[in-house]
Amino acid sequence: MKTFGAAVAILLSMTHGTTAWVSPSKIRSAPSSQLNSIKIAKYEGLGNDFILVDSRQSSDPPLTPEESARLCDRNFSVGGDGVIFALAPPEGQEDEYDFSMRIYNSDGSEPEMCGNGIRCLAAFLRDLGEDAKSYNINTLAGPIIPVMNEDGGVTVDMGEPILKSSDVPTTLESNAEFDSVVEQTLECNGKEWKVSAVSFGNPHMIIF
């Protein structure tokens, strides 16, 4: 799903390929000649919304983590859970991978991968004109292959979950098989929760 937004110091056009100008940190005093322009699109997958950037001709993201964090600000910018970059495959591995994926979270940190994010990336590639039934995507968590479904959806095999507490990682003590954290008690805001920890390249805490 594509959406659009507008905010101070960021100008968006209501087109299929939305254009945004990401300003330097001192946005109020910076002249327009110093602004960098970049095309973006907005996608949502199971409640996670992302800003997508087409950089298939480059191996590096065109935005810094700090610029991406500002772009994700829901009050003063486009807003999103992260910025995802569609990049060229690693140099010398063009025969192995179709594309690479990098993602910066809304706080500027970089996870290894995101399941809903790579589903949005696959849909983005389809809308850009790529017509493969699946893509071998290079990520920091290793190769991930999203599959394009006949109904327009995208399926991703996330691989084996990371359960070992120190690898998730989590500071909670392991209490189950494989040194994992399962239904461990966590107190937060005066209330106790039963939580389980797992990672698929991005740490998750699960409450049933």
Side-chain angles (χ1 to χ4, degrees):
M1 179 183 73
K2 302 180 201 55
T3 61
F4 63 89
V8 176
I10 291 186
L11 175 63
L12 298 179
S13 61
M14 296 168 56
T15 61
H16 176 75
T18 307
T19 302
W21 283 266
V22 182
S23 69
S25 56
K26 295 183 179 179
I27 58 176
R28 296 186 183 277
S29 60
S32 58
S33 61
Q34 293 181 10
L35 301 182
N36 299 317
S37 64
I38 188 168
K39 284 187 175 182
I40 66 170
K42 188 79 180 290
Y43 283 71
E44 175 269 341
L46 294 177
N48 290 135
D49 60 325
F50 301 97
I51 298 164
L52 278 295
V53 179
D54 179 17
S55 298
R56 289 172 293 169
Q57 305 306 314
S58 173
S59 58
D60 296 311
L63 297 177
T64 66
E66 293 76 18
E67 289 172 328
S68 299
R70 290 203 299 274
L71 200 58
C72 288
D73 191 308
R74 297 188 185 278
N75 293 317
F76 299 103
S77 189
V78 180
D81 291 323
V83 181
I84 295 174
F85 305 93
L87 300 169
E91 186 176 356
Q93 295 181 275
E94 292 83 359
D95 293 337
E96 182 178 354
Y97 293 103
D98 298 306
F99 303 99
S100 291
M101 167 186 167
R102 296 276 297 278
I103 175 173
Y104 293 139
N105 287 326
S106 58
D107 63 357
S109 62
E110 183 174 14
E112 292 181 342
M113 216 278 294
C114 174
N116 285 331
I118 202 168
R119 292 174 61 245
C120 289
L121 174 68
F124 181 48
L125 291 171
R126 175 193 60 205
D127 292 344
L128 288 173
E130 303 289 348
D131 60 358
K133 294 187 180 297
S134 65
Y135 302 98
N136 193 358
I137 307 294
N138 173 62
T139 76
L140 297 183
I144 302 291
I145 303 177
V147 177
M148 314 305 293
N149 301 327
E150 294 293 334
D151 63 0
V154 182
T155 300
V156 176
D157 183 351
M158 299 288 290
E160 291 188 15
I162 299 171
L163 299 175
K164 187 176 180 180
S165 60
S166 59
D167 293 338
V168 170
T170 175
T171 57
L172 294 174
E173 292 185 7
S174 58
N175 64 338
E177 190 177 5
F178 307 118
D179 291 327
S180 60
V181 174
V182 178
E183 293 287 282
Q184 180 71 280
T185 300
L186 177 66
E187 184 174 342
C188 182
N189 292 332
K191 185 175 181 180
E192 286 191 350
W193 304 85
K194 294 292 185 180
V195 301
S196 301
V198 63
S199 175
F200 284 96
N202 209 357
H204 289 73
M205 192 63 70
I206 301 171
I207 301 174
F208 290 104

